[in-house]
Amino acid sequence: MNSRMQFALPVDSDHKASKFRLLSKSPPHMRAFHLSWVTFFSCFVSTFAAPPLLPIIRDNLNLTATDIGNAGIASVSGAILARIAMGTACDLFGPRLASASLILLTAPAVYFTSIVSSPISFLLVRFFTGFSLATFVSTQFWMSSMFSAPVVATANGVAAGWGNLGGGATQLIMPLVFSLIRDIGAAKFTAWRISFFIPALFQTLSAFAVLMFGKDLPDGNFLQLEKSGDKHKDKFSKIFYYGLKNYRGWILALTYGYCFGVELTIDNIIAEYFYDRFNLKLHTAGIIAASFGLANIVSRPIGGMISDMVGKKYGMRGRLWVLWIVQTLGGVFCIILGRMSSLSGSVVIMIIFSFLCQAACGLTFGVVPFVSRRSLGLISGMTGGGGNVGAALTQLIFFKGTKYYKEVGITYMGVMMICCTIPICFIHFPQWGGMFLGPSDVTTEENYYMSEWSPNEKEQGLHLSSLKFANNSIRERGSHS
């Protein structure tokens, strides 16, 4: 399969697309892109379908502030281990089977939301629905497997950004669906329950679309390529070892906890915050809250594009610098948001904050694909899981119960965001350098990525895909070097 003419997009030696054409549906590259963002979008809609209806649900189930806080924490906690597991599943079985399986396993929890009758059952369905957010990892793995270095951050950013859009869209969709069902004649406490069948069905259909139309890699599916001998089946122990020993993955997991983790936290609290603090109508609070998540349509993709543009000129060092700057500014505007006392001012600051916070997410996954070739899925899973850990800890500390007013919690969250972004300064790639130190004179891209393979594995030719990746990532030195 050496001919490049078989692909609609120009490709590199690994058959990854070197161009990203948003409006194209051509298989396998752009088809994988559209399938990945739609499925992730559906999971976001399901996971955050409850918050915009909380004023109704809390009256029906007699939920306390603590119950609501616990359920919010549960909704983002489930995906912590699920994201790490998803990364490993992608490395072993491919993103197509891994994502579709998880979507189908979590869809029943969305259906069961319609029959919850107590705070405990409400917490449990939000917990199990939240597992579906691990499809973020398969989305990023899939894009990193389909697109090469010049456009990988753009592909990752747009796919994840459009998927995250579900967190904002559901703030509009669920109140609208609820209102329509209630207007048809259903009682208020029945209408919100029926509403959950919409996200549940959407999620189910998206999984079947992935299975029917998706392809793991440009040249085929994992199972097909392993049977033909074009791809070897890697060992779980090796993937796990090389992923966990790479400190860069741990730092990115921490920092992602305070961009994506902050985004998840805001998705859970912002509608209720505006509803209670400014005495707004449910629908109005939902529209304002939706603007935060809806910013993903441009903010996260722009983060990815900026990473690729800066990377083209300044290499990996530029990618790290712009990530640190944008995420730190996000923390500053988060602090300001918590200190705003006017509705109009809060909305303006929230939109600026949302743009910076979500752009930082896109910038993070401009770095992630280069941390490890062999353990790409696990590194993606660790980073994604870090986002959920950050969200769970933040909600536990600042938004559980009545210990802090929400505006105080938002201010403290901004401080945490700034502090947890500092470790980006310590990421250093020996072949490219870091924010403050340049590259080592003796280390090359080939040395770095070949270190994940033993001499025996190299003799068997198992390292060849990493070798291709090393050659294609030389551009991370930047044009100015």
Side-chain angles (χ1 to χ4, degrees):
M1 300 186 73
N2 296 319
S3 173
R4 296 188 179 193
M5 297 303 293
Q6 63 187 305
F7 299 109
L9 299 178
V11 297
D12 64 15
S13 61
D14 217 11
H15 289 172
K16 294 181 180 181
S18 56
K19 297 288 184 183
F20 180 78
R21 293 176 182 159
L22 185 61
L23 300 181
S24 170
K25 300 185 292 293
S26 60
H29 306 94
M30 295 312 300
R31 180 177 291 177
F33 161 75
H34 289 295
L35 287 170
S36 68
W37 82 256
V38 169
T39 52
F40 188 38
F41 180 96
S42 75
C43 294
F44 242 99
V45 169
S46 295
T47 300
F48 294 100
L53 299 182
L54 267 178
I56 311 298
I57 297 172
R58 71 186 178 190
D59 291 343
N60 190 190
L61 301 180
N62 296 315
L63 302 177
T64 65
T66 299
D67 293 330
I68 293 170
N70 285 337
I73 294 166
S75 70
V76 296
S77 299
I80 294 172
L81 292 178
R83 285 190 168 200
I84 297 172
M86 174 61 87
T88 307
C90 286
D91 282 322
L92 294 173
F93 308 112
R96 177 177 154 272
L97 280 178
S99 62
S101 299
L102 181 66
I103 292 167
L104 291 174
L105 284 170
T106 52
V110 191
Y111 287 108
F112 288 152
T113 306
S114 63
I115 59 172
V116 296
S117 58
S118 66
I120 291 296
S121 57
F122 179 65
L123 182 147
L124 288 174
V125 293
R126 292 216 67 196
F127 176 70
F128 287 113
T129 300
F131 275 63
S132 66
L133 291 183
T135 49
F136 165 76
V137 176
S138 56
T139 294
Q140 302 298 273
F141 183 96
W142 211 353
M143 294 303 93
S144 298
S145 300
M146 286 288 182
F147 295 91
S148 66
V151 294
V152 67
T154 300
N156 273 333
V158 179
W162 284 17
N164 284 2
L165 195 62
T170 196
Q171 305 277 356
L172 296 176
I173 293 168
M174 293 307 288
L176 180 62
V177 170
F178 164 76
S179 297
L180 287 173
I181 294 170
R182 184 193 57 195
D183 291 346
I184 289 170
K188 182 171 67 171
F189 289 163
T190 302
W192 78 260
R193 295 175 182 276
I194 298 172
S195 301
F196 277 84
F197 280 89
I198 300 301
L201 182 62
F202 180 22
Q203 184 174 321
T204 304
L205 292 175
S206 72
F208 287 115
V210 167
L211 290 172
M212 292 168 63
F213 304 115
K215 189 181 284 188
D216 289 318
L217 297 169
D219 294 333
N221 292 322
F222 271 39
L223 188 60
Q224 165 197 344
L225 295 172
E226 286 164 1
K227 282 183 177 178
S228 66
D230 291 326
K231 182 185 184 303
H232 84 283
K233 189 171 183 64
D234 211 341
K235 295 179 180 178
F236 169 77
S237 58
K238 295 286 189 178
I239 292 170
F240 210 63
Y241 173 72
Y242 286 109
L244 293 184
K245 72 175 285 193
N246 198 316
Y247 79 90
R248 300 166 193 85
W250 290 103
I251 290 179
L252 290 169
L254 170 65
T255 59
Y256 196 64
Y258 281 89
C259 55
F260 183 64
V262 167
E263 181 181 345
L264 288 180
T265 300
I266 291 291
D267 281 335
N268 260 332
I269 69 163
I270 199 68
E272 193 183 12
Y273 169 69
F274 277 102
Y275 179 85
D276 290 335
R277 186 165 190 204
F278 298 106
N279 298 312
L280 302 179
K281 292 180 180 179
L282 179 65
H283 184 63
T284 307
I287 291 173
I288 293 172
S291 65
F292 180 86
L294 290 173
N296 269 297
I297 197 168
V298 293
S299 56
R300 186 159 185 155
I302 284 176
M305 292 174 193
I306 290 172
S307 184
D308 282 335
M309 286 191 294
V310 172
K312 196 172 293 184
K313 185 169 185 181
Y314 299 104
M316 179 55 67
R317 300 183 72 181
R319 291 185 192 265
L320 293 170
W321 264 107
V322 74
L323 169 57
W324 176 79
I325 291 168
V326 170
Q327 190 158 323
T328 300
L329 284 173
V332 170
F333 276 89
C334 186
I335 293 171
I336 296 171
L337 175 63
R339 300 187 68 82
M340 294 297 295
S341 57
S342 70
L343 175 60
S344 57
S346 293
V347 171
V348 170
I349 295 298
M350 183 195 72
I351 291 171
I352 297 172
F353 161 55
S354 70
F355 183 89
L356 292 165
C357 178
Q358 293 154 8
C361 295
L363 288 159
T364 300
F365 275 83
V367 177
V368 167
F370 300 98
V371 173
S372 168
R373 174 62 180 83
R374 188 171 191 178
S375 303
L376 169 63
L378 182 58
I379 295 293
S380 298
M382 287 167 57
T383 306
N388 288 74
V389 171
L393 286 176
T394 303
Q395 290 178 70
L396 181 65
I397 297 169
F398 302 128
F399 301 104
K400 181 177 180 292
T402 56
K403 184 177 180 181
Y404 296 105
Y405 289 112
K406 281 191 172 62
E407 55 268 31
V408 176
I410 290 170
T411 299
Y412 288 162
M413 182 167 66
V415 174
M416 288 283 285
M417 196 173 176
I418 294 170
C419 293
C420 291
T421 302
I422 294 172
I424 292 171
C425 301
F426 302 111
I427 294 179
H428 184 271
F429 288 87
Q431 73 275 35
W432 299 317
M435 284 176 62
F436 299 108
L437 298 175
S440 164
D441 292 332
V442 295
T443 304
T444 64
E445 289 79 7
E446 185 174 330
N447 295 147
Y448 180 80
Y449 292 109
M450 290 306 100
S451 67
E452 297 181 324
W453 301 92
S454 68
N456 183 47
E457 289 172 326
K458 290 176 186 175
E459 286 178 14
Q460 298 175 54
L462 304 183
H463 69 299
L464 293 178
S465 61
S466 290
L467 185 59
K468 285 182 182 178
F469 184 80
N471 291 331
N472 289 322
S473 65
I474 287 175
R475 66 185 72 241
E476 289 305 305
R477 297 175 185 178
S479 62
H480 78 296
S481 61

